[in-house]
Amino acid sequence: MESPRFVSGAKPLAVASSGSFLPSYGAVVGVLLHFFVYFIAMLYSFAKKLFAKKDECIVRKLDAPAHCELRCCKEGPVGNGLIGQRPPTINPERLKDFGEEDYLNGGVKTWEMKIISHNEELLRDPVVRPERSSLPAYNKFIRFEDISAAAFKIQCGVQKTPCTYSRLSKQYGMDIYLKKEFLQYTGSVKERGVLYLLMSLQQDQQRKGVIVASDTNFSMAVAYHASEHQIPVFVIMSTSTLPARVKMCREYGAMVISYGSTARDAQMHAKRLAQENGYLYLEEEDSSVYLSGLGTMGLEIYEQVPKLDAVIFPAGAHCGLLAGSAAALKHLNEHISVIGVESESFPVLQQSLKIGHPVEDQTRSNHQFYRDVSGPCFGTNSLQLTGKFVDKVVTVREEDILIAMLRLLEYERATVDAEGSIGLAALVTGKLPELKGKRVAVAVCSGNLELSLMRQCIDRALTLDNRVCKFSILISDCPGDISKLLAILAREETRVLDIKQEHMYVASDLFTSEVTCIVETRDKIHTAQLRNALLDCYPMMTWMER
């Protein structure tokens, strides 16, 4: 079969078709695909310009000067020795006077606070004053907003300690909740004020360093938190300071210098070093920054215990915790009763409130037992806040404080010092009968009790609680007389701690000896039963009263 031939110049045949003027299917798909790609490119360009403009706004916001010096976690979270534990968030109720602005900064969420309430004057006292005589003649109260801002700023660096129901409630006829501030890293509530104080310092002063001169909880908190913030810190202690305190302060990261035989010598040396080297001399006073930090504990108590009737705080000379927390609690609920407790041996706060100004000529006790609850009055700012917001200030004896320490050790497994137990002492001694049947929170704010002092305090407390007794009896030298005495003690289920027999200095018959016993009983009722049983057998017994 031959293939067809094409002749040059020949005209092609016209093929008639009904769809000769419509484009093909492939052409339609190509045009649609072209428009789709063009639309995607336009969307990408528009989104790129939009995100670039948003990033520019964020950079401009970060570079702009801050309108308020209160920032939370400015350089990231502050560690406090806890691994993997983040403090709980703040209750939104605290934000009612603030506007909040969030942004991301290097993966760390920060807040920039802008105060939008009416303009009010703050306390403008300098953070640190070398001399107490430099206190200004006028005072203004701190605001609730100051305390709330402090809570935001320090929440990454201090623990939100528990406020738990106590087993002591049934014993004293009220619902007792214990705010366990002794669980802070340095064992004291002073961390709150100290951390906010250090975070409020200018950067140039943080580079130069700070210096303190005491062996109190305040110095411990400064040593720890200054080291955590890479701030050089120096602590001047007298040569009479207990070695355990010196060691602890060094372990926190401070440079500890022993100087002078008294606390005053150490203070003078610290001020001289501060002046010569540019350090900032810190001492525990009532600046608005320090009081605001301490007042954050009042906020936490209000959040943790609903329907509170009263809160009890330690008072004494250093009443900053009482003043700051009272300001916060009264702002949140004016019906909450705020009560301060101080030692009967040092009624500094009561005397200052009575005369209307801080007591200056108060004899300072060097007793290691009282420490932070003794000394000269704190300052006029704290005194005015206390007079305005605190409902009542009561005093307790040293015996009551020791009994409270024993109760906390037995019922709460808490080893606290005088400052930590003085609030509970007011309930132990019955100084607050109006709180029966009510819901009461007690601040247990310090647990730095030296081991050498702990045993002495516990032994004295057991004696005061009628659980360690001492008596002496006269018995003959006949065989079996001491066995009869021991049989009586065994029958009464008492524990013999010590027994001693004396022959030479007994003013009686030649064949008579004096036996002195120290025994432990369960409680006051058991002690009375033992005493009656001994009197029946030994009418001439001598019972050693406490």
Side-chain angles (χ1 to χ4, degrees):
M1 183 176 180
E2 294 183 359
S3 62
R5 294 183 180 181
F6 296 94
V7 181
S8 62
K11 294 182 179 181
L13 297 175
V15 180
S17 174
S18 60
S20 60
F21 296 100
L22 295 178
S24 63
Y25 177 78
V28 172
V29 172
V31 171
L32 291 178
L33 184 61
H34 176 77
F35 276 106
F36 179 78
V37 172
Y38 177 78
F39 180 73
I40 295 298
M42 291 295 293
L43 283 179
Y44 176 78
S45 177
F46 178 77
K48 186 175 182 181
K49 291 180 181 180
L50 182 63
F51 282 107
K53 185 180 295 185
K54 186 175 181 180
D55 292 339
E56 182 180 356
C57 292
I58 293 177
V59 171
R60 188 181 299 113
K61 185 188 297 183
L62 293 175
D63 294 337
H67 299 287
C68 180
E69 62 181 3
L70 304 174
R71 291 179 178 271
C72 174
C73 304
K74 183 177 180 181
E75 298 178 359
V78 181
N80 68 338
L82 297 178
I83 301 176
Q85 181 176 351
R86 183 178 179 82
T89 57
I90 299 298
N91 194 308
E93 184 179 357
R94 300 184 184 174
L95 296 173
K96 59 185 177 182
D97 294 316
F98 290 89
E100 182 179 359
E101 184 175 353
D102 298 354
Y103 54 87
L104 293 178
N105 181 15
V108 179
K109 189 175 183 180
T110 62
W111 292 270
E112 186 174 49
M113 306 304 302
K114 295 183 179 180
I115 299 176
I116 61 176
S117 60
H118 296 290
N119 292 332
E120 296 179 356
E121 287 186 305
L122 296 173
L123 287 171
R124 293 301 181 185
D125 305 338
V127 173
V128 176
R129 296 178 291 276
E131 299 292 340
R132 293 184 183 271
S133 59
S134 63
L135 284 169
Y138 62 91
N139 293 277
K140 306 179 184 67
F141 296 131
I142 61 174
R143 300 176 304 168
F144 176 76
E145 289 83 353
D146 303 327
I147 303 173
S148 298
F152 274 101
K153 196 165 186 179
I154 69 173
Q155 65 176 339
C156 300
V158 297
Q159 299 186 48
K160 186 173 182 178
T161 55
C163 189
T164 56
Y165 182 80
S166 174
R167 292 193 298 140
L168 292 166
S169 300
K170 295 181 180 179
Q171 185 171 347
Y172 296 106
M174 63 189 75
D175 291 337
I176 300 176
Y177 291 83
L178 301 179
K179 178 62 173 173
K180 300 180 180 180
E181 281 294 299
F182 64 91
L183 296 178
Q184 295 288 355
Y185 191 81
T186 62
S188 170
V189 69
K190 301 297 175 64
E191 286 193 27
R192 296 178 178 271
V194 165
L195 178 58
Y196 191 43
L197 189 66
L198 293 174
M199 295 178 73
S200 301
L201 298 179
Q202 300 294 331
Q203 290 188 359
D204 58 341
Q205 186 59 62
Q206 291 183 1
R207 287 191 295 268
K208 292 179 182 178
V210 296
I211 187 169
V212 292
S214 69
D215 61 348
T216 61
N217 293 333
F218 178 80
S219 296
M220 299 297 174
V222 172
Y224 171 69
H225 284 289
S227 300
E228 287 292 300
H229 280 72
Q230 307 300 319
I231 300 174
V233 53
F234 302 87
V235 179
I236 312 300
M237 294 183 175
S238 64
T239 55
S240 60
T241 303
L242 293 176
R245 289 249 165 184
V246 177
K247 178 183 178 182
M248 188 180 304
C249 216
R250 283 175 176 158
E251 290 177 349
Y252 288 148
M255 173 67 71
V256 181
I257 301 174
S258 296
Y259 184 89
S261 57
T262 63
R264 182 173 180 82
D265 295 337
Q267 292 173 1
M268 297 301 296
H269 186 60
K271 293 176 182 179
R272 184 166 59 252
L273 290 177
Q275 185 176 6
E276 294 174 354
N277 300 279
Y279 307 139
L280 181 62
Y281 177 73
L282 296 177
E283 59 181 341
E284 190 175 7
E285 290 194 353
D286 60 346
S287 66
S288 60
V289 176
Y290 186 64
L291 293 182
S292 298
L294 291 176
T296 59
M297 193 181 81
L299 294 180
E300 290 188 3
I301 293 177
Y302 183 80
E303 292 177 357
Q304 292 171 320
V305 184
K307 299 180 181 180
L308 264 177
D309 295 309
V311 185
I312 303 176
F313 295 96
H318 294 176
C319 58
L321 175 64
L322 172 65
S325 297
L329 288 168
K330 288 295 186 179
H331 178 89
L332 294 168
N333 185 354
E334 61 181 6
H335 300 294
I336 295 178
S337 179
V338 180
I339 302 171
V341 185
E342 63 179 345
S343 173
E344 195 176 79
S345 304
F346 317 101
V348 181
L349 183 57
Q350 281 190 345
Q351 293 179 7
S352 300
L353 291 172
K354 191 174 183 180
I355 64 178
H357 60 81
V359 177
E360 297 179 356
D361 297 330
Q362 179 74 22
T363 303
R364 185 166 186 175
S365 172
N366 292 323
H367 201 305
Q368 296 178 1
F369 177 69
Y370 289 101
R371 288 196 178 276
D372 289 7
V373 294
S374 64
C377 194
F378 201 63
T380 52
N381 292 335
S382 298
L383 188 62
Q384 288 194 10
L385 286 170
T386 301
K388 181 178 177 65
F389 296 116
V390 176
D391 299 283
K392 190 175 183 180
V393 178
V394 298
T395 60
V396 293
R397 302 172 303 164
E398 179 178 307
E399 291 84 353
D400 304 325
I401 299 174
L402 289 169
I403 293 295
M405 293 172 62
L406 182 62
R407 295 287 184 268
L408 288 170
L409 180 62
E410 286 186 313
Y411 287 85
E412 299 295 331
R413 302 298 183 263
T415 304
V416 300
D417 53 17
E419 186 182 4
S421 59
I422 194 170
L424 183 64
L427 301 180
V428 170
T429 191
K431 287 293 184 72
L432 301 171
E434 66 274 15
L435 299 182
K436 290 288 186 180
K438 295 186 177 181
R439 180 169 291 192
V440 182
V442 181
V444 186
C445 57
S446 177
N448 291 321
L449 183 65
E450 285 77 14
L451 294 177
S452 57
L453 186 59
M454 184 189 305
R455 176 64 183 272
Q456 186 177 352
C457 291
I458 298 303
D459 289 344
R460 178 66 62 85
L462 289 171
T463 303
L464 295 171
D465 202 27
N466 292 301
R467 293 162 57 181
V468 173
C469 313
K470 182 178 181 180
F471 61 88
S472 61
I473 59 176
L474 293 175
I475 62 174
S476 65
D477 285 340
C478 298
D481 280 0
I482 293 184
S483 299
K484 293 178 182 179
L485 173 61
L486 296 177
I488 296 174
L489 297 178
R491 185 176 66 248
E492 295 297 329
E493 298 179 351
T494 59
R495 179 169 174 256
V496 179
L497 301 179
D498 188 21
I499 186 169
K500 181 180 179 182
Q501 186 175 9
E502 181 66 49
H503 290 280
M504 298 178 61
Y505 299 96
V506 178
S508 61
D509 297 337
L510 179 63
F511 298 101
T512 302
S513 61
E514 183 180 19
V515 177
T516 303
C517 294
I518 300 177
V519 298
E520 181 180 1
T521 58
R522 291 188 298 272
D523 49 31
K524 190 174 183 179
I525 298 177
H526 189 200
T527 300
Q529 293 176 354
L530 172 64
R531 185 174 182 177
N532 293 333
L534 290 172
L535 284 174
D536 291 340
C537 298
Y538 305 99
M540 302 300 294
M541 179 192 67
T542 303
W543 191 269
M544 308 292 182
E545 298 292 343
R546 60 183 182 185

